[in-house]
Amino acid sequence: MSDKFDVIVIGAGPAGYVAAIRAAQLGLKTACVDAFVGKDGKQALGGTCLNVGCIPSKALLDSSKQYFNLSHNLPAHGITVENAKVDMGTFIGRKDKIVKQFTGGIGQLFKANKITPFFGKGKLLKGNNVEITGNDGSKQTISATNVILAPGSVPIELPFAKFDGKNIIDNAGALDINEVPKRLGVIGAGVIGLELGSVWNRLGSQVTILEALPDFLSVADADVAKIAAKEFAKQGLTIKLGAKLTKAEVKKNEVALTYEDKDGSHELAVDKLLVAVGRRAYTEGLLADDTGVKLDERGRIAVDEHNHTGVDGVWAIGDAVRGPMLAHKGSEEGVAVAEWIAGKAGHINLETVPWVIYTEPEIAWAGKTEKQLKDEGVPYKIGTFPFAAIGRAVAMNEAIGQVKVIAHAETDRLLGVHMVGPGVSELIAEAVVAMEFKGSAEDLARIVHAHPTLSEAVHEAALSVDKRAIHKGN
């Protein structure tokens, strides 16, 4: 054994690196093992999120929004820009620079917290030993009292549409397209498909999204999804529901697609195809046969409510365990597990984890949807308020969408808050705080909100629950 640690974390994504930092803060001798390679061929901490996920996609979304605003938003302000164009080298280069800044930042945090990083693929062995295989094939073994598994997730690949990195791409490939494709096909109208589809649609691609499910964005509240779908259609995104891809063939410089819907079989030709049908836990090569760690029916690491695997000193967090595959959920699990290991009171509430889709308009929610409550037989009441009646939103020329507050019909406790509109990725935090403190709709209604702000839509929606909204009819 080359070294003995209190904690070894396998994986340096937003779950793993946060767990390592918190463990080190608590005085535990900590190591973190990760094999992600950056564009420069060196170790790049931060996992999928920082390297090819959350951060770079938001960089491209913001850049594409600036370009889109030139012709679609600024004229309403009396501002006209002619002959605007996008330099793709700068467009992608800006994204890469941001990624490098943040991955390098984690390296500095590791140094500051005296965390030992190991570059290679980690494998859990019996007895809380971890075998590290470097990119050159070299091996070494380290051990710890506690091991936290944070291997993350990988894109699901369709057997008839395998990634080739050029014509058929995953989320990482969609972040590095060096020329705006005339026609972009997207399989899956989930978070990744909608966000990356929006990026290239804004830059001029003809984007067609095929979604196998019959309902649009079924994980979100139906009212919010309906508003979002209408706005996406206005932006030129073509979304075909109940459309199942059955074949994808690369022919010369295009991809020939065959899909089926209620009207039969159809063909579609695109220049590039983004497959975004979901992600799965990345556990290949993670566990030796005799570790005792179990996987569930979906290939995720089985854990209890404290993220413990049932094997002494072995924990698991992030995308590879139950719950939503969201970076912030993984990070909070990382903090909680580090605190449990240190004998402190860790906390993670999966019921109030916020969801955000960074399209235009943005979509965000926390808690239960109206359909979920109806299916569960929970009595509820609803309040809504449109951004069209919010002065700040109108002044921004972004008066689209609404806030929907759902409260228990008898206790008034907040059960769910759903938003679509400008800046809702930030507004949802207020709802999460209120729900964590077991707040009611009346609590939100009685809090003074600054005027004029977008947050007034939350205030008015809460008032609307009891038909007390001021700036709309009740």
Side-chain angles (χ1 to χ4, degrees), residues 145-441:
T145 307
N146 291 275
V147 176
I148 303 175
L149 305 174
S153 61
V154 292
I156 293 173
E157 187 174 46
L158 297 174
F160 46 83
K162 290 187 175 295
F163 304 129
D164 62 16
K166 181 181 178 182
N167 300 102
I168 302 178
I169 56 179
D170 59 9
N171 60 288
L175 295 169
D176 272 330
I177 299 175
N178 55 20
E179 183 179 347
V180 179
K182 184 177 180 181
R183 303 161 300 175
L184 174 67
V186 180
I187 309 303
V191 177
I192 295 172
L194 290 172
E195 290 186 355
L196 293 178
S198 292
V199 167
W200 298 104
N201 176 62
R202 293 172 187 169
L203 297 183
S205 280
Q206 179 184 327
V207 178
T208 302
I209 302 178
L210 304 180
E211 170 55 57
L213 295 175
D215 299 315
F216 175 68
L217 211 56
S218 58
V219 294
D221 188 84
D223 289 338
V224 162
K226 183 178 180 180
I227 294 170
K230 183 178 180 181
E231 291 305 316
F232 296 153
K234 286 182 181 178
Q235 294 169 17
L237 278 173
T238 299
I239 302 175
K240 296 181 181 293
L241 300 175
K244 298 181 180 180
L245 182 70
T246 58
K247 190 176 183 181
E249 282 187 299
V250 177
K251 296 181 177 180
K252 293 184 179 180
N253 291 319
E254 68 177 26
V255 186
L257 308 179
T258 302
Y259 67 93
E260 295 179 352
D261 61 15
K262 60 183 178 58
D263 297 320
S265 182
H266 308 271
E267 294 184 351
L268 175 69
V270 297
D271 299 297
K272 288 189 181 294
L273 177 67
L274 165 62
V275 178
V277 294
R279 299 179 67 84
R280 60 177 178 82
Y282 179 51
T283 56
E284 285 84 349
L286 176 68
L287 306 169
D289 293 337
D290 58 354
T291 62
V293 176
K294 305 296 184 183
L295 302 182
D296 66 15
E297 68 283 354
R298 293 176 56 182
R300 302 172 302 187
I301 302 168
V303 293
D304 62 15
E305 68 275 15
H306 293 106
N307 289 80
H308 193 259
T309 65
V311 176
D312 188 35
V314 180
W315 315 72
I317 57 178
D319 282 4
V321 303
R322 81 287 180 266
M325 288 183 169
L326 299 170
H328 42 283
K329 172 260 195 184
S331 293
E332 291 308 314
E333 286 178 328
V335 170
V337 166
E339 292 177 348
W340 283 321
I341 288 172
K344 297 184 178 295
H347 169 79
I348 177 69
N349 181 6
L350 298 181
E351 296 299 316
T352 56
V353 174
W355 290 68
V356 179
I357 303 177
Y358 297 86
T359 47
E360 192 73 21
E362 292 182 342
I363 304 166
W365 70 91
K368 298 292 183 70
T369 65
E370 184 177 351
K371 182 180 185 302
Q372 287 173 324
L373 294 170
K374 189 175 295 183
D375 291 344
E376 294 170 10
V378 177
Y380 62 88
K381 51 186 177 178
I382 293 172
T384 63
F385 198 81
F387 281 102
I390 295 296
R392 180 74 188 280
V394 174
M396 293 164 58
N397 198 39
E398 295 184 43
I400 295 169
Q402 69 170 18
V403 174
K404 178 177 180 177
V405 173
I406 309 177
H408 197 285
E410 299 164 0
T411 67
D412 197 43
R413 182 173 172 177
L414 288 169
L415 301 175
V417 179
H418 307 270
M419 309 175 177
V420 55
V424 299
S425 59
E426 304 293 342
L427 297 183
I428 195 63
E430 176 182 12
V432 174
V433 170
M435 293 171 71
E436 273 291 331
F437 281 91
K438 297 179 171 54
S440 65

